[in-house]
Amino acid sequence: MEKQLQQTTDNDQQSKMSLLRMLPGTDHILELAKEDIFFENIPRSLLLRAVREVIENYRRLVLNGDKSITENRLSDPVILEAVKGYVKNKMSPNLRRVINATGVVIHTNLGRSLLASDAIENLLTIAGTYSNLEFDLSAGKRGSRYSCVEDILCEITGAEAAMVVNNNAGAVFICLETLAKGKEVIVSRGELVEIGGAFRIPDVMAKSGGILKEVGTTNRTHMKDYVNAIGDDTALLLKVHKSNYSVVGFTAEVSLKELAALGAEHHIPVMEDLGSGMFIDFSKYGMIKEPTVQDSVAAGADIVTFSGDKLLGGPQAGIIVGKKDIVSEIRQNPLNRALRIDKLTLAALESTLRLYREPEKAVEAIPTLRMLTLPFHLIEQRAGQLEEMLKSSAGSRLHIEQMNRSSRVGGGSLPLQELPSKCLGIKVRGMSVNVVETFMRENMPPVIGRIEEDFFMMDLRTIEPEEFPIIKTAFDMMLKKE
Ligand SMILES: *Cc1c(COP(=O)(O)O)cnc(C)c1O
């Protein structure tokens, strides 16, 4: 018995050795690459790295006793193919386009909001030319970075002043740091939110130097709770919009309007973090009513902060609107330099904001809004189109079902909003759903769907009809590969 074991180990050892001897050297593969037109314009440093890593990878597989490594897989052409694959991968950008078939409209992992074409156009122009970013063209001297968006932000929201930073987390942080460092900030216990990515109100407060003074309870906070908490050290009354959760049942909260009146009485500024700010009343489109930025300004908030790339559908940005003297104080905070918005973002933001001058057009032109308000009958029609396309090519091996599902708003916005949608659920005969999902995810460009029971699911709300041919080709290639 022992002898037999010894024998097997010796054999393994021998076959490993012979496989290792078969591995070509770097120079040999480099010579072969010279003859191959594919490598003609590939930088030498990348080629060298590719060859070394591919050979090293094979060596590791052999040493680990990987049974898939046979003599055939160590032949020159196969190794050269592997080098090509490596090079191709490294030559294409790591950050790449994907097709969002998840039905989550503001998908944080997939880039949140898509820009409107006006915004993209302006961004491209500004990217390649000099601009008046911080130059006042009428005065002929240094100007402010925000002047291009301040005016329109005030026009839309009714605020006295506006500024923008890198994102809303930054906006909340700089506001707290400016207004409440070393002083108390009163917040209801029902509003101590955590949004994704480790942004929690108590933590941001601590970092900014503000001292959190919690009042009320999780489900009920009253006026008297705020009144009793106000003292000499109170610097700010903060209201945080419950963007990604809801408190239902026996509840009470103090409205922004009431809070603003209280603040005015005590000469304490009132701030609202709206999270995903909106300029349009979504209830017009049959959706849940989300407070608009205009509502918050009109309610008397001194400062309102919100995201540029959630429900607004613009680029990543943190927008701050409010009273002139307070915004000006925030602007002068040295942190502002660290959080400053870049010019490409500004270009895209300005164009996005301009679209809101005509809300009906904004809903059409801004992809996030268009997808959120896409009528069910259109989604259904698109599901039918894609189904036909897939059937016509991939034929009988595909089992396709149209299914009614609900899309989601995403981005921590409107968690209770149902968005009735159509999905295509796909099964491929002779192939597990995991294999299908992986193939689609590794396609160029990747098609990101989800698995539900044994179906690969694609939600038609977030797929543009222009993307249908890409999906069709992906399925064709998947079935051909087998
Ligand atoms: C999303 C959100 C933020 C952070 O906004 P980002 O633009 O992602 O930085 C802050 N507060 C609330 C309430 C939010 O919903």
Side-chain angles (χ1 to χ4, degrees), residues 9-23 59-67 74:
T9 324
D10 285 351
N11 283 346
D12 278 358
Q13 213 52 34
Q14 265 172 19
S15 75
K16 268 188 198 175
M17 290 308 285
S18 80
L19 282 172
L20 283 180
R21 269 195 298 273
M22 281 192 62
L23 268 179
R59 188 188 314 282
R60 224 172 307 137
L61 290 174
V62 172
L63 288 174
N64 290 342
D66 190 311
K67 291 283 176 273
L74 297 181

Side-chain angles (χ1 to χ4, degrees), residues 157-428:
T157 64
E160 290 174 9
M163 62 178 282
V164 273
V165 292
N166 183 46
N167 59 11
N168 188 38
V172 173
F173 182 67
I174 194 173
C175 289
L176 293 176
E177 219 270 351
T178 310
L179 302 173
K181 194 168 180 174
K183 302 235 184 75
E184 285 178 0
V185 181
I186 304 179
V187 191
S188 159
R189 289 199 169 88
E191 298 172 6
L192 294 174
V193 319
E194 170 180 317
I195 60 157
F199 180 96
R200 310 169 104 188
I201 290 293
D203 298 348
V204 175
M205 188 75 72
K207 270 279 172 221
S208 73
I211 301 160
L212 176 63
K213 182 129 183 157
E214 302 172 23
V215 296
T217 61
T218 305
N219 57 328
R220 288 172 73 83
T221 301
H222 307 285
M223 196 56 169
K224 63 173 190 290
D225 296 322
Y226 286 97
V227 173
N228 292 340
I230 290 179
D232 291 343
D233 278 341
T234 309
L236 189 69
L237 306 180
L238 173 65
K239 199 160 173 59
V240 184
H241 180 48
K242 295 187 275 289
S243 19
N244 57 2
Y245 68 105
S246 175
V247 182
V248 294
F250 187 52
T251 65
E253 67 175 296
V254 177
S255 72
L256 180 63
K257 197 167 176 177
E258 293 167 301
L259 213 55
L262 180 69
E265 189 186 318
H266 293 265
H267 304 288
I268 299 167
V270 175
M271 165 172 158
E272 179 168 47
D273 172 18
L274 264 183
S276 38
M278 242 342 275
F279 294 149
I280 294 175
D281 178 2
F282 264 26
S283 61
K284 274 191 216 151
Y285 298 91
M287 293 174 64
I288 296 171
K289 189 169 164 59
E290 186 62 0
T292 62
V293 181
Q294 296 91 308
D295 290 341
S296 297
V297 171
D302 295 280
I303 284 292
V304 183
T305 66
F306 52 101
S307 273
D309 60 345
K310 289 186 182 169
L311 288 173
L312 216 61
Q316 179 189 306
I319 303 173
I320 303 171
V321 301
K323 303 273 163 68
K324 210 168 195 133
D325 49 341
I326 299 186
V327 171
S328 138
E329 205 184 323
I330 297 166
R331 227 180 252 190
Q332 279 154 32
N333 188 329
L335 262 178
N336 194 13
R337 180 62 175 78
L339 295 173
R340 95 177 171 186
I341 187 166
D342 97 296
K343 64 177 181 180
L344 302 185
T345 310
L346 263 180
L349 183 62
E350 179 182 358
S351 298
T352 307
L353 294 172
R354 283 175 184 282
L355 291 168
Y356 277 100
R357 282 197 167 129
E358 294 174 275
E360 291 76 28
K361 285 198 185 148
V363 170
E364 276 306 305
I366 297 173
T368 302
L369 302 188
R370 188 173 60 227
M371 287 181 194
L372 285 173
T373 57
L374 201 61
F376 180 76
H377 71 89
L378 268 184
I379 304 179
E380 193 170 34
Q381 192 182 325
R382 291 181 186 180
Q385 283 164 1
L386 182 57
E387 182 180 4
E388 282 311 308
M389 275 175 93
L390 294 180
K391 268 187 186 156
S392 72
S393 58
S396 61
R397 280 191 63 197
L398 288 190
H399 169 77
I400 310 178
E401 279 181 34
Q402 286 196 25
M403 302 178 179
N404 288 327
R405 290 292 182 277
S406 187
S407 316
R408 283 194 293 129
V409 177
S413 311
L414 294 163
L416 300 183
Q417 180 69 55
E418 292 276 331
L419 296 169
S421 188
K422 268 283 178 213
C423 285
L424 288 188
I426 298 183
K427 281 185 191 176
V428 184

Side-chain angles (χ1 to χ4, degrees), residues 36-48:
D36 193 320
I37 187 139
F38 173 89
F39 294 103
E40 212 172 52
N41 294 315
I42 303 300
R44 167 96 188 152
S45 57
L46 174 59
L47 177 59
L48 199 59

